[in-house]
């Protein structure tokens, strides 16, 4: 999935600082991370939208390099609202995917994961054993 996008796409992940090494984990050369607050993204909505639009302008200025721009949103309801507002209004070949909490399982065993985090919603990470991830996808856990 990511290898296909990596060939000729600008990949932008919108989410908390924890995901800053996601591009490195997958070896993505054209990866850009728009850092958001861990739990107060609704308060940052306009700032996040401005950052996403700036990344889009860069994509448009570099169409010889990028065939498309792919946004991954990991900010909960803020991603849904942002993608809902921008869908169909951005020029070019744009893909928007709300990944929700799907990336969290990859960070449960990662060295950047901090146990006992006070951030809302991480209780579910403690309720199951995600060791199968390292067995099925050892290149993702570093």
């Amino acid at each position: 999935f990511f290898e296909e996008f990596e060939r000729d796409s600008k990949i932008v992940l919108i989410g908390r600082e924890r995901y800053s090494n996601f591009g490195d984990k997958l070896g993505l050369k054209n990866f850009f991370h728009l850092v958001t607050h861990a739990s107060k993204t609704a308060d940052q909505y306009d700032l996040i939208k401005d950052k996403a639009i700036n990344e889009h302008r860069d994509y448009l200025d570099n169409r010889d390099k990028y065939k498309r721009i792919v946004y991954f949103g990991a900010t909960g309801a803020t991603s849904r609202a942002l993608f809902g507002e921008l869908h169909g209004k951005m020029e070019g070949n744009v893909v928007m995917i709300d990944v929700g909490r799907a990336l969290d399982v990859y960070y449960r065993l990662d060295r950047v994961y901090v146990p006992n985090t006070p951030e809302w919603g991480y209780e579910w990470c403690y309720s199951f054993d995600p060791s199968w991830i390292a067995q099925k996808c050892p290149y993702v856990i570093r």
Side-chain angles (χ1 to χ4, degrees), residues 21-63:
N21 72 341
F22 189 72
D24 291 336
K25 288 166 81 61
L26 297 182
L28 304 174
K29 294 183 282 300
N30 298 320
F31 176 79
F32 300 86
H33 181 217
L34 301 183
V35 179
T36 64
H37 190 276
S39 61
K40 298 178 181 174
T41 56
D43 295 340
Q44 296 182 318
Y45 183 83
D46 291 331
L47 176 64
I48 294 167
K49 181 171 116 178
D50 290 345
K51 288 182 178 181
I53 289 171
N54 285 337
E55 290 297 335
H56 192 76
R57 286 185 187 123
D58 178 71
Y59 149 73
L60 292 174
D61 291 343
N62 291 286
R63 284 202 207 188

Side-chain angles (χ1 to χ4, degrees), residues 50-114:
D50 290 345
K51 288 182 178 181
I53 289 171
N54 285 337
E55 290 297 335
H56 192 76
R57 286 185 187 123
D58 178 71
Y59 149 73
L60 292 174
D61 291 343
N62 291 286
R63 284 202 207 188
D64 56 324
K65 182 178 179 182
Y66 305 121
K67 177 179 176 182
R68 72 180 71 85
I69 185 167
V70 182
Y71 291 97
F72 292 97
T75 63
T78 303
S79 293
R80 290 188 295 281
L82 178 68
F83 291 170
E85 180 179 348
L86 297 178
H87 179 75
K89 295 179 182 172
M90 296 179 125
E91 182 183 345
N93 189 354
V94 183
V95 178
M96 297 177 181
I97 302 172
D98 183 358
V99 295
R101 304 300 293 271
L103 301 181
D104 290 353
V105 294
Y106 291 108
Y107 283 85
R108 179 64 177 94
L109 296 178
D110 195 87
R111 288 189 298 262
V112 301
Y113 181 81
V114 180

